[in-house]
Amino acid sequence: MRPLRRILPSLTCLYAIDAVARHMSFTSAARELGLSQPAVSKSIRLAEENLGFELFERRPGGLAYTVKGREVCAEISVSLSRLFEVTNQASEDAAETVLRLVFSSSFVSMWLLPRLSEFTRRYPDITFRISEYSGRPNPAELEFDFSSRLGDGNWHDVKAWEYAPEVLYAVASPEYVAAHPEVLDINSLHKATLLHAIEAKRNRMDWAGWFATAGKPHSRLDEGMIFSDYHSAIHAALLSQGVALGWEHLVGLFVKENRLRCVAKTKVATGQNFYLVTPAERQIGHHHRLFRDWVIEQARNDREKLAMLE
């Protein structure tokens, strides 16, 4: 029996076979591995020459497994996954564990930070690298362990876990409501100072969409204050400068503390949900599961507490 190092002379060959088998594309595999496409193609060709048979059929429409190739690729995938799990667990046991988070500034300041101390008390060995990002993070362009997406959860580039439905209502400070009691009636709400958030890289429901979905469409809703970041619009509402659209999972804490009040007695559910996401290729370790389950638990508790206030 020939030694494995003579059949597959480097780990690069194993990585290349695994990546090509998952993507069925030399180009996509090269992008994942940070190599050139010719380098990946050469590694596969070298492996096939040493093995004595082809792993993939090159067809006009793309790649396909050979019979032997399918079996070999499956075994390589299982072996590499097991190796990752063993070494990753050893690293977690030996050193501090870091989670890289990429969220919007609104989610970081209004949801994550007010709750994060509770998580760190539970799991003091887990630390964070938190980045604020205004668009939808692409795993092919950004390195992260967790982010958030709005939609139906059917994405190929990430694994997704639902944590909150998209529900919006109008919110204002108690002081603003006291000075402008007309905001309590949806028929006169449009006359208030409306606080708009128009973010360049994020498409979200605006006031026109909210009124229309609530059955009270208005043609002119462009007056008031316009902000380029949602967090600023909510901050203006807290300072009694007008009425903002409140995403329930973000403003729920302010509502519970009576720093903001829901006005017009109208909630709009879009039918979409917010999901915690991690790159599809990410191997989920123990620290990932702890954070994922904690976020889902916190969001569920928030909804239950808000329901008690209604």
Side-chain angles (χ1 to χ4, degrees):
M1 180 181 292
R2 288 183 296 164
L4 178 62
R5 59 187 172 83
R6 291 189 179 179
I7 301 174
L8 297 173
S10 74
L11 280 175
T12 300
C13 286
L14 287 175
Y15 296 145
I17 293 170
D18 180 60
V20 171
R22 284 185 282 105
H23 293 287
M24 278 300 172
S25 164
F26 289 145
T27 301
S28 297
R31 187 180 302 116
E32 176 187 316
L33 297 172
L35 301 173
S36 67
Q37 192 270 352
V40 171
S41 180
K42 181 179 179 181
S43 292
I44 298 297
R45 186 171 62 254
L46 178 62
E48 291 176 330
E49 289 174 356
N50 287 345
L51 286 167
F53 57 84
E54 291 188 343
L55 296 167
F56 306 98
E57 293 181 11
R58 283 72 166 173
R59 297 176 177 176
L63 298 178
Y65 291 116
T66 63
V67 174
K68 290 184 178 180
R70 183 183 298 276
E71 181 179 352
V72 170
C73 289
E75 289 297 329
I76 288 176
S77 176
V78 170
S79 298
L80 287 179
S81 295
R82 179 56 185 156
L83 179 61
F84 177 87
E85 290 175 4
V86 170
T87 56
N88 191 52
Q89 186 61 53
S91 290
E92 289 183 10
D93 293 342
E96 184 178 61
T97 303
V98 177
L99 284 175
R100 295 164 298 176
L101 310 181
V102 175
F103 292 107
S104 68
S105 60
S106 303
F107 186 87
V108 170
S109 61
M110 297 164 62
W111 196 96
L112 183 62
L113 292 182
R115 298 166 174 82
L116 197 56
S117 59
E118 193 271 340
F119 180 89
T120 55
R121 279 196 299 271
R122 286 196 208 177
Y123 312 109
D125 293 332
I126 298 177
T127 58
F128 295 90
R129 300 291 180 267
I130 303 173
S131 300
E132 298 178 356
Y133 191 76
S134 60
R136 189 173 88 169
N138 182 346
E141 299 173 355
L142 286 175
E143 279 288 328
F144 63 89
D145 293 305
F146 286 107
S147 186
S148 180
R149 278 191 189 178
L150 174 65
D152 60 8
N154 294 318
W155 302 293
H156 298 298
D157 60 336
V158 293
K159 301 169 186 172
W161 299 273
E162 178 187 339
Y163 68 87
E166 186 182 32
V167 177
L168 301 92
Y169 34 66
V171 292
S173 70
E175 294 77 14
Y176 188 88
V177 174
H180 304 83
E182 65 274 10
V183 300
L184 296 174
D185 184 353
I186 193 171
N187 294 302
S188 54
L189 176 60
H190 65 284
K191 299 176 182 178
T193 299
L194 300 182
L195 306 173
H196 305 262
I198 303 177
E199 298 176 306
K201 296 183 179 181
R202 195 180 298 274
N203 186 20
R204 294 288 187 262
M205 179 174 282
D206 58 11
W207 275 112
W210 186 84
F211 274 109
T213 305
K216 302 289 181 179
H218 293 283
S219 58
R220 290 189 57 81
L221 293 169
D222 54 354
E223 297 180 356
M225 298 185 187
I226 299 177
F227 301 89
S228 62
D229 185 85
Y230 179 67
H231 183 218
S232 297
I234 293 299
H235 190 57
L238 289 166
L239 295 175
S240 304
Q241 294 176 4
V243 185
L245 276 179
W247 270 260
E248 185 177 59
H249 71 293
L250 293 181
V251 302
L253 186 63
F254 299 133
V255 173
K256 286 188 292 184
E257 295 174 347
N258 199 36
R259 297 174 63 191
L260 289 176
R261 287 182 58 188
C262 301
V263 300
K265 296 182 179 179
T266 302
K267 287 188 176 183
V268 168
T270 67
Q272 298 191 100
N273 298 290
F274 288 96
Y275 291 82
L276 192 68
V277 300
T278 192
E281 308 304 332
R282 177 76 74 251
Q283 296 290 334
I284 301 297
H286 181 60
H287 59 301
H288 294 100
R289 288 189 289 271
L290 289 176
F291 182 75
R292 177 199 64 193
D293 294 346
W294 175 79
V295 169
I296 294 172
E297 173 194 345
Q298 291 290 311
R300 181 178 63 249
N301 291 342
D302 288 347
R303 293 196 299 275
E304 292 174 353
K305 291 176 182 177
L306 285 172
M308 293 173 63
L309 297 176
E310 295 178 354

